[in-house]
Amino acid sequence: MPLIVQKYGGTSVGSVERIQAVAQRVCKTVKAGNSVVVVVSAMGKTTDGLVKLAYDISTNPNSREMDMLLSTGEQVTIALVSMALQELGQPAISLTGAQVGIVTEAAHTRARILHIETERVKRHLNQNKVIVVAGFQGITRTEELEITTLGRGGSDTSAVALAAALRADFCEIYTDVPGILTTDPRLVPEAQLIDEITSDEMLELASLGAKVLHPRAVEIARNYGVPLVVRSSWTDDPGTWVISPTPRPRALVNLEIARPVDDVEFDTDQAKVSMLRVPDKPGVAARLFGEIATQDVDVDLIIQSIHEGNTNDIAFTVRAPILKRAEAVAAAIAPVLRSHKAAETEEAEVMVQQNVAKVSIAGAGMIGRPGVAAKMFATLAEAGVNIKMISTSEVKVSCVIDNADCDRAVAALHTAFEVGEVGADKSPRSSPRQSHGRGEPPHGAGSSSPVRGVALDMNQARLAIRQVQDRPGTAAKLFGLLAEHNISVDMIIQSQRCHVINGVPRRDIAFTVARMDAQAAQKMLQQVAAEYGWGEVVLDSAIAKVSVVGAGMVGQPGIAATMFEAIAHHQINIQMIATSEIKISCVVAQEEGVKALQAIHTAFGLAGSQSIQVPA
């Protein structure tokens, strides 16, 4: 008998009527010949209300007591849903996270799942019962048996982890929208449903602020090959399938803290083109990459650093065989970008560096773990490898280095992250989609556009450190400090312009962090700046990050140009650019964020013919 795990969020169980509707849907699934495990969140705004009560009592509530308090919200829901199922004649039993056997690390309010003891669940399933599980919570394996919560998005994580541990046929996430949409329908009502999306694309969108799925849940689905579908609890529409590659064999112990890196990848056939001191104004990136797209030059990584005075730097990498063409395009466009024709040697200077390589670590386990990137930088520093460019995404961190250092870098990374053998097969892993008794996921529907989604993150801040020493170990030191303080970093940009001060080459480095971490990060970095010989630490909290995501963007040089042109058309200045293979992100002023999102969504033709209505 097929086993399905269903998860219902707070709005889906927000009232007696909604709980009764959920019970009817569950009964319908059982009658179709399936065994069902149901994972639920707290009703509606219950968790928010409990948090408010805690802060009415204390300005700094104890984290253990917060877990004890917040775990009660889901306990109410599981009992009511179980009662509703029983009223319909369906045998059901409610279980807390502890009773279902979700064992976590002892980290209150942000625990990760270690393993799930499934014996009790299987026993109840064999008795043809529906098991209704409290999401978001677990228990430690210490003698004290402490109740823990998993943090934001914890019910998604509980559901997918249960599906992995039970080897369920698939996991359904029910929410208040019809599936994964091309963007936030609250900002763009014409956002349309994506029929299917890869787990890597979903990881990027989820981490960029798309609230339908939590990144940790997608990470588990990807690592364990759990077929995942996101649907509306208000309709019977088919929703969105999240498709994962065939996973490598993994033990179900240390489920969420397993090895974060699966692969070390490298490409020695790269070259870098930099344009220094281009005017810091709207339209510059659009003109440059518009011409690059016209000449069909395929660009890999793109970075635009923070401005210095009225100018900034743009750099990009290309495959070495087309370097001459890329260099010619940059040289031809440079005079057009200069604001003062007489200053030809000072503005839009083109610099080319051949014999560079890109080394990357890849894996879905890097999410929310600031120590992974820091470990990569430290490993390269210990091997005496200097980093020229950095590109980060949810599933990959890439560094551009000298070609001569590549073998040494790859060997060191293999050893540090304990993955594979040097020279191991790097071909992508994929598998045919499976049938699970309720029809197959759609094949290729909605996948015609290389850009699958556009996301806006208004909860980031940018830190810039001026005049950082350009030598091996600098990035390791900086991001190691942030990791020690549990501060996760998103975009990382090193300026291409180098200043020699007292015989030491120096560059600026900028990065984005969650806004709630920004002041603490700035204070910590200011305290060590003099010790490490760094310059000023500048914080800007009034930023927004807008991104496009799509696996089909690889080998499509016009994607970046279209994005930049859409932003320039509305006279929005791009402050920073960073890319990975399947993502392009731009930092703009906070007040321009929504306008930039809407412009980009329109530019890629992602709007549908119908407006999406999100239930209140």
Side-chain angles (χ1 to χ4, degrees):
M1 183 181 292
L3 172 59
I4 299 172
V5 176
Q6 296 182 337
K7 179 262 176 176
Y8 294 91
T11 55
S12 300
V13 291
S15 66
V16 169
E17 293 75 21
R18 292 303 306 153
I19 287 173
Q20 290 170 332
V22 164
Q24 290 170 354
R25 187 185 291 270
V26 173
C27 285
K28 183 179 177 182
T29 306
V30 173
K31 288 175 182 175
N34 303 290
S35 296
V36 182
V37 174
V38 178
V39 178
V40 294
S41 300
M43 295 175 64
K45 300 292 184 180
T46 298
T47 302
D48 292 343
L50 293 172
V51 171
K52 183 179 184 303
L53 284 173
Y55 280 91
D56 285 344
I57 295 291
S58 170
T59 56
N60 185 28
N62 177 274
S63 60
R64 179 194 181 275
E65 304 308 331
M66 283 297 287
D67 277 357
M68 188 68 77
L69 174 67
L70 297 184
S71 64
T72 64
E74 281 72 19
Q75 195 167 331
V76 171
T77 315
I78 59 173
L80 293 174
V81 171
S82 187
M83 292 175 190
L85 286 165
Q86 292 165 10
E87 283 295 303
L88 295 173
Q90 171 60 52
I93 183 169
S94 61
L95 298 174
T96 65
Q99 290 173 320
V100 86
I102 297 176
V103 178
T104 76
E105 54 186 4
H108 286 294
T109 73
R110 55 180 177 82
R112 289 182 179 268
I113 297 172
L114 298 177
H115 66 274
I116 301 178
E117 297 165 355
T118 57
E119 293 79 8
R120 185 173 184 180
V121 174
K122 290 176 179 177
R123 187 171 71 248
H124 289 307
L125 287 171
N126 289 335
Q127 296 166 355
N128 297 317
K129 292 179 183 176
V130 169
I131 296 95
V132 186
V133 179
F136 177 64
Q137 62 183 246
I139 195 166
T140 65
R141 59 183 170 191
T142 60
E143 290 182 8
E144 291 79 10
L145 298 178
E146 292 287 340
I147 292 173
T148 55
T149 62
L150 308 182
R152 189 173 67 86
S155 292
D156 287 352
T157 304
S158 301
V160 181
L162 272 165
L166 293 167
R167 304 193 187 281
D169 289 84
F170 55 95
C171 180
E172 298 177 326
I173 305 291
Y174 284 95
T175 182
D176 55 3
V177 291
I180 309 301
L181 303 171
T182 51
T183 196
D184 187 342
R186 297 168 183 85
L187 301 178
V188 183
E190 299 79 25
Q192 63 176 318
L193 180 71
I194 303 170
D195 296 332
E196 67 173 41
I197 191 169
T198 68
S199 55
D200 284 357
E201 290 170 326
M202 190 67 244
L203 277 169
E204 297 288 5
L205 288 172
S207 301
L208 290 165
K211 299 178 178 64
V212 179
L213 265 179
H214 195 272
R216 281 169 64 185
V218 185
E219 174 188 352
I220 297 169
R222 184 185 188 274
N223 284 342
Y224 290 93
V226 177
L228 192 58
V229 61
V230 181
R231 293 189 170 122
S232 170
S233 62
W234 305 73
T235 71
D236 292 322
D237 294 341
T240 304
W241 285 90
V242 180
I243 308 301
S244 295
T246 300
R248 292 181 174 177
R250 283 177 182 263
L252 284 162
V253 296
N254 292 334
L255 196 145
E256 273 204 282
I257 61 169
R259 190 174 63 205
V261 173
D262 291 329
D263 274 315
V264 176
E265 303 170 356
F266 59 93
D267 182 355
T268 57
D269 196 22
Q270 295 238 330
K272 184 178 73 165
V273 179
S274 304
M275 295 191 69
L276 309 185
R277 295 179 294 277
V278 296
D280 183 37
K281 63 183 181 182
V284 171
R287 296 190 76 166
L288 172 60
F289 289 98
E291 186 61 29
I292 285 172
T294 300
Q295 299 300 321
D296 199 31
V297 174
D298 187 16
V299 172
D300 186 2
L301 304 181
I302 303 171
I303 66 164
Q304 177 182 302
S305 58
I306 54 170
H307 67 86
E308 182 175 322
N310 295 318
T311 66
N312 51 33
D313 306 329
I314 298 177
F316 56 92
T317 61
V318 296
R319 303 302 299 274
I322 62 170
L323 172 61
K324 291 297 183 185
R325 190 148 41 106
E327 183 180 3
V329 171
I333 197 72
V336 181
L337 299 179
R338 292 173 185 141
S339 56
H340 303 290
K341 292 182 180 178
E344 290 188 3
T345 58
E346 296 177 8
E347 284 195 354
E349 178 188 358
V350 178
M351 291 185 63
V352 173
Q353 184 171 4
Q354 301 184 58
N355 300 318
V356 298
K358 180 176 71 172
V359 294
S360 309
I361 55 172
M366 296 190 270
I367 300 163
R369 302 182 197 179
V372 177
K375 183 176 179 179
M376 181 187 191
F377 303 150
T379 300
L380 294 177
E382 288 167 10
V385 177
N386 199 29
I387 300 170
K388 300 179 179 300
M389 288 173 70
I390 298 170
S391 165
T392 58
S393 78
E394 291 309 316
V395 294
K396 187 175 287 190
V397 180
S398 299
C399 296
V400 173
I401 62 175
D402 281 330
N403 210 330
D405 294 334
C406 186
D407 288 347
R408 190 165 73 254
V410 170
L413 292 170
H414 272 283
T415 300
F417 290 102
E418 301 176 351
V419 294
E421 296 293 332
V422 178
D425 180 19
K426 298 294 183 282
S427 58
R429 303 180 302 279
S430 60
S431 68
R433 289 176 278 279
Q434 306 166 46
S435 178
H436 305 289
R438 293 181 59 183
E440 293 190 7
H443 290 248
S447 59
S448 58
S449 172
V451 172
R452 311 308 310 286
V454 185
L456 176 65
D457 190 341
M458 301 283 279
N459 297 308
Q460 292 206 346
R462 180 181 63 217
L463 284 157
I465 308 179
R466 302 291 188 181
Q467 298 177 8
V468 174
Q469 294 174 346
D470 183 31
R471 59 177 54 164
T474 297
K477 199 175 294 179
L478 168 58
F479 296 105
L481 280 169
L482 292 167
E484 287 173 15
H485 289 76
N486 201 36
I487 296 172
S488 291
V489 175
D490 185 14
M491 297 172 68
I492 302 173
I493 305 291
Q494 291 185 119
S495 68
Q496 296 306 293
R497 224 176 303 184
C498 190
H499 299 282
V500 178
I501 300 175
N502 296 326
V504 178
R506 296 175 180 269
R507 301 181 191 273
D508 297 341
I509 190 164
F511 52 91
T512 59
V513 298
R515 193 171 294 164
M516 64 181 181
D517 293 332
Q519 289 188 335
Q522 182 189 33
K523 183 178 179 181
M524 182 268 293
L525 293 171
Q526 285 174 331
Q527 289 171 346
V528 300
E531 177 186 349
Y532 291 128
W534 298 341
E536 183 183 11
V537 181
V538 182
L539 171 63
D540 184 358
S541 295
I543 65 165
K545 185 181 72 174
V546 62
S547 307
V548 297
V549 173
M553 288 164 37
V554 179
Q556 301 269 354
I559 301 298
T562 300
M563 181 180 186
F564 302 153
E565 286 164 6
I567 294 173
H569 182 71
H570 289 268
Q571 292 299 303
I572 298 170
N573 196 32
I574 298 174
Q575 300 178 12
M576 289 169 67
I577 300 170
T579 70
S580 70
E581 281 89 343
I582 65 169
K583 179 179 70 174
I584 304 171
S585 295
C586 295
V587 168
V588 299
Q590 185 177 25
E591 65 270 17
E592 306 276 23
V594 173
K595 185 163 62 173
L597 172 80
Q598 293 168 339
I600 294 166
H601 193 267
T602 299
F604 285 105
L606 297 178
S609 57
Q610 295 181 333
S611 296
I612 300 293
Q613 300 298 320
V614 180

mmCIF file of all heavy atoms in Angstrom, residues 84-106:
data_model
loop_
_atom_site.group_PDB
_atom_site.id
_atom_site.type_symbol
_atom_site.label_atom_id
_atom_site.label_comp_id
_atom_site.label_asym_id
_atom_site.label_seq_id
_atom_site.Cartn_x
_atom_site.Cartn_y
_atom_site.Cartn_z
ATOM 1 N N ALA A 84 -11.373 15.095 14.466
ATOM 2 C CA ALA A 84 -12.150 15.319 13.237
ATOM 3 C C ALA A 84 -12.131 14.079 12.351
ATOM 4 O O ALA A 84 -13.148 13.722 11.737
ATOM 5 C CB ALA A 84 -11.594 16.528 12.480
ATOM 6 N N LEU A 85 -10.990 13.397 12.276
ATOM 7 C CA LEU A 85 -10.905 12.154 11.491
ATOM 8 C C LEU A 85 -11.774 11.062 12.116
ATOM 9 O O LEU A 85 -12.492 10.331 11.416
ATOM 10 C CB LEU A 85 -9.451 11.693 11.413
ATOM 11 C CG LEU A 85 -8.542 12.506 10.483
ATOM 12 C CD1 LEU A 85 -7.072 12.208 10.767
ATOM 13 C CD2 LEU A 85 -8.866 12.218 9.021
ATOM 14 N N GLN A 86 -11.723 10.961 13.430
ATOM 15 C CA GLN A 86 -12.532 9.950 14.111
ATOM 16 C C GLN A 86 -14.026 10.201 13.906
ATOM 17 O O GLN A 86 -14.802 9.251 13.765
ATOM 18 C CB GLN A 86 -12.167 9.916 15.592
ATOM 19 C CG GLN A 86 -10.756 9.393 15.852
ATOM 20 C CD GLN A 86 -10.249 9.698 17.249
ATOM 21 O OE1 GLN A 86 -11.013 10.149 18.100
ATOM 22 N NE2 GLN A 86 -8.965 9.471 17.480
ATOM 23 N N GLU A 87 -14.420 11.469 13.865
ATOM 24 C CA GLU A 87 -15.824 11.809 13.622
ATOM 25 C C GLU A 87 -16.286 11.343 12.244
ATOM 26 O O GLU A 87 -17.464 11.080 12.019
ATOM 27 C CB GLU A 87 -16.039 13.327 13.749
ATOM 28 C CG GLU A 87 -16.082 13.828 15.183
ATOM 29 C CD GLU A 87 -17.278 13.268 15.944
ATOM 30 O OE1 GLU A 87 -18.427 13.462 15.479
ATOM 31 O OE2 GLU A 87 -17.068 12.605 16.980
ATOM 32 N N LEU A 88 -15.341 11.247 11.309
ATOM 33 C CA LEU A 88 -15.661 10.773 9.956
ATOM 34 C C LEU A 88 -15.531 9.251 9.848
ATOM 35 O O LEU A 88 -15.624 8.696 8.749
ATOM 36 C CB LEU A 88 -14.731 11.447 8.942
ATOM 37 C CG LEU A 88 -14.895 12.975 8.794
ATOM 38 C CD1 LEU A 88 -13.805 13.542 7.887
ATOM 39 C CD2 LEU A 88 -16.274 13.329 8.249
ATOM 40 N N GLY A 89 -15.271 8.597 10.966
ATOM 41 C CA GLY A 89 -15.160 7.141 10.960
ATOM 42 C C GLY A 89 -13.793 6.616 10.605
ATOM 43 O O GLY A 89 -13.622 5.413 10.395
ATOM 44 N N GLN A 90 -12.774 7.499 10.550
ATOM 45 C CA GLN A 90 -11.420 7.085 10.198
ATOM 46 C C GLN A 90 -10.591 6.922 11.474
ATOM 47 O O GLN A 90 -10.364 7.897 12.194
ATOM 48 C CB GLN A 90 -10.757 8.125 9.286
ATOM 49 C CG GLN A 90 -9.273 7.903 9.032
ATOM 50 C CD GLN A 90 -8.992 6.576 8.376
ATOM 51 O OE1 GLN A 90 -9.586 6.246 7.355
ATOM 52 N NE2 GLN A 90 -8.090 5.786 8.959
ATOM 53 N N PRO A 91 -10.091 5.727 11.764
ATOM 54 C CA PRO A 91 -9.230 5.556 12.933
ATOM 55 C C PRO A 91 -7.990 6.456 12.824
ATOM 56 O O PRO A 91 -7.358 6.531 11.770
ATOM 57 C CB PRO A 91 -8.841 4.070 12.877
ATOM 58 C CG PRO A 91 -9.919 3.424 12.072
ATOM 59 C CD PRO A 91 -10.342 4.446 11.062
ATOM 60 N N ALA A 92 -7.670 7.133 13.896
ATOM 61 C CA ALA A 92 -6.544 8.068 13.885
ATOM 62 C C ALA A 92 -5.982 8.191 15.286
ATOM 63 O O ALA A 92 -6.676 7.938 16.279
ATOM 64 C CB ALA A 92 -6.985 9.441 13.380
ATOM 65 N N ILE A 93 -4.715 8.566 15.372
ATOM 66 C CA ILE A 93 -4.073 8.806 16.662
ATOM 67 C C ILE A 93 -3.143 9.999 16.521
ATOM 68 O O ILE A 93 -2.452 10.156 15.503
ATOM 69 C CB ILE A 93 -3.299 7.562 17.155
ATOM 70 C CG1 ILE A 93 -2.700 7.821 18.539
ATOM 71 C CG2 ILE A 93 -2.222 7.135 16.162
ATOM 72 C CD1 ILE A 93 -2.146 6.566 19.211
ATOM 73 N N SER A 94 -3.147 10.871 17.520
ATOM 74 C CA SER A 94 -2.258 12.036 17.506
ATOM 75 C C SER A 94 -0.999 11.722 18.312
ATOM 76 O O SER A 94 -1.054 11.088 19.359
ATOM 77 C CB SER A 94 -2.969 13.258 18.099
ATOM 78 O OG SER A 94 -3.343 13.027 19.448
ATOM 79 N N LEU A 95 0.160 12.179 17.802
ATOM 80 C CA LEU A 95 1.444 11.951 18.462
ATOM 81 C C LEU A 95 2.267 13.231 18.443
ATOM 82 O O LEU A 95 2.343 13.916 17.412
ATOM 83 C CB LEU A 95 2.235 10.845 17.761
ATOM 84 C CG LEU A 95 1.614 9.435 17.722
ATOM 85 C CD1 LEU A 95 2.469 8.515 16.867
ATOM 86 C CD2 LEU A 95 1.435 8.871 19.119
ATOM 87 N N THR A 96 2.873 13.545 19.555
ATOM 88 C CA THR A 96 3.803 14.676 19.588
ATOM 89 C C THR A 96 5.101 14.278 18.876
ATOM 90 O O THR A 96 5.318 13.111 18.551
ATOM 91 C CB THR A 96 4.133 15.075 21.038
ATOM 92 O OG1 THR A 96 4.842 13.994 21.662
ATOM 93 C CG2 THR A 96 2.864 15.378 21.827
ATOM 94 N N GLY A 97 5.976 15.243 18.699
ATOM 95 C CA GLY A 97 7.264 14.935 18.091
ATOM 96 C C GLY A 97 8.031 13.908 18.898
ATOM 97 O O GLY A 97 8.682 13.015 18.344
ATOM 98 N N ALA A 98 7.962 14.012 20.227
ATOM 99 C CA ALA A 98 8.645 13.045 21.083
ATOM 100 C C ALA A 98 8.045 11.657 20.925
ATOM 101 O O ALA A 98 8.757 10.659 20.792
ATOM 102 C CB ALA A 98 8.553 13.498 22.543
ATOM 103 N N GLN A 99 6.705 11.567 20.918
ATOM 104 C CA GLN A 99 6.045 10.272 20.829
ATOM 105 C C GLN A 99 6.283 9.587 19.487
ATOM 106 O O GLN A 99 6.310 8.363 19.399
ATOM 107 C CB GLN A 99 4.534 10.450 21.061
ATOM 108 C CG GLN A 99 4.188 10.803 22.496
ATOM 109 C CD GLN A 99 2.717 11.149 22.656
ATOM 110 O OE1 GLN A 99 2.126 11.813 21.796
ATOM 111 N NE2 GLN A 99 2.123 10.695 23.748
ATOM 112 N N VAL A 100 6.472 10.375 18.427
ATOM 113 C CA VAL A 100 6.698 9.796 17.105
ATOM 114 C C VAL A 100 8.158 9.412 16.903
ATOM 115 O O VAL A 100 8.501 8.760 15.925
ATOM 116 C CB VAL A 100 6.217 10.770 16.006
ATOM 117 C CG1 VAL A 100 7.286 11.774 15.629
ATOM 118 C CG2 VAL A 100 5.733 10.031 14.786
ATOM 119 N N GLY A 101 9.012 9.842 17.852
ATOM 120 C CA GLY A 101 10.413 9.417 17.798
ATOM 121 C C GLY A 101 11.342 10.336 17.044
ATOM 122 O O GLY A 101 12.378 9.889 16.543
ATOM 123 N N ILE A 102 11.012 11.640 16.951
ATOM 124 C CA ILE A 102 11.900 12.597 16.281
ATOM 125 C C ILE A 102 12.963 13.043 17.288
ATOM 126 O O ILE A 102 12.677 13.803 18.212
ATOM 127 C CB ILE A 102 11.114 13.806 15.730
ATOM 128 C CG1 ILE A 102 10.124 13.341 14.655
ATOM 129 C CG2 ILE A 102 12.073 14.857 15.163
ATOM 130 C CD1 ILE A 102 9.235 14.446 14.110
ATOM 131 N N VAL A 103 14.172 12.537 17.110
ATOM 132 C CA VAL A 103 15.272 12.809 18.036
ATOM 133 C C VAL A 103 16.144 13.914 17.442
ATOM 134 O O VAL A 103 16.560 13.832 16.277
ATOM 135 C CB VAL A 103 16.108 11.543 18.281
ATOM 136 C CG1 VAL A 103 17.275 11.841 19.214
ATOM 137 C CG2 VAL A 103 15.232 10.431 18.856
ATOM 138 N N THR A 104 16.418 14.943 18.221
ATOM 139 C CA THR A 104 17.169 16.104 17.724
ATOM 140 C C THR A 104 18.411 16.339 18.572
ATOM 141 O O THR A 104 18.581 15.772 19.649
ATOM 142 C CB THR A 104 16.307 17.380 17.776
ATOM 143 O OG1 THR A 104 16.217 17.834 19.140
ATOM 144 C CG2 THR A 104 14.914 17.142 17.232
ATOM 145 N N GLU A 105 19.260 17.222 18.052
ATOM 146 C CA GLU A 105 20.380 17.702 18.860
ATOM 147 C C GLU A 105 19.837 18.605 19.965
ATOM 148 O O GLU A 105 18.702 19.089 19.884
ATOM 149 C CB GLU A 105 21.382 18.454 17.973
ATOM 150 C CG GLU A 105 20.772 19.568 17.169
ATOM 151 C CD GLU A 105 21.737 20.210 16.183
ATOM 152 O OE1 GLU A 105 22.883 19.740 16.051
ATOM 153 O OE2 GLU A 105 21.329 21.184 15.539
ATOM 154 N N ALA A 106 20.639 18.829 20.996
ATOM 155 C CA ALA A 106 20.185 19.602 22.161
ATOM 156 C C ALA A 106 20.439 21.087 21.942
ATOM 157 O O ALA A 106 21.239 21.712 22.642
ATOM 158 C CB ALA A 106 20.883 19.105 23.412
#
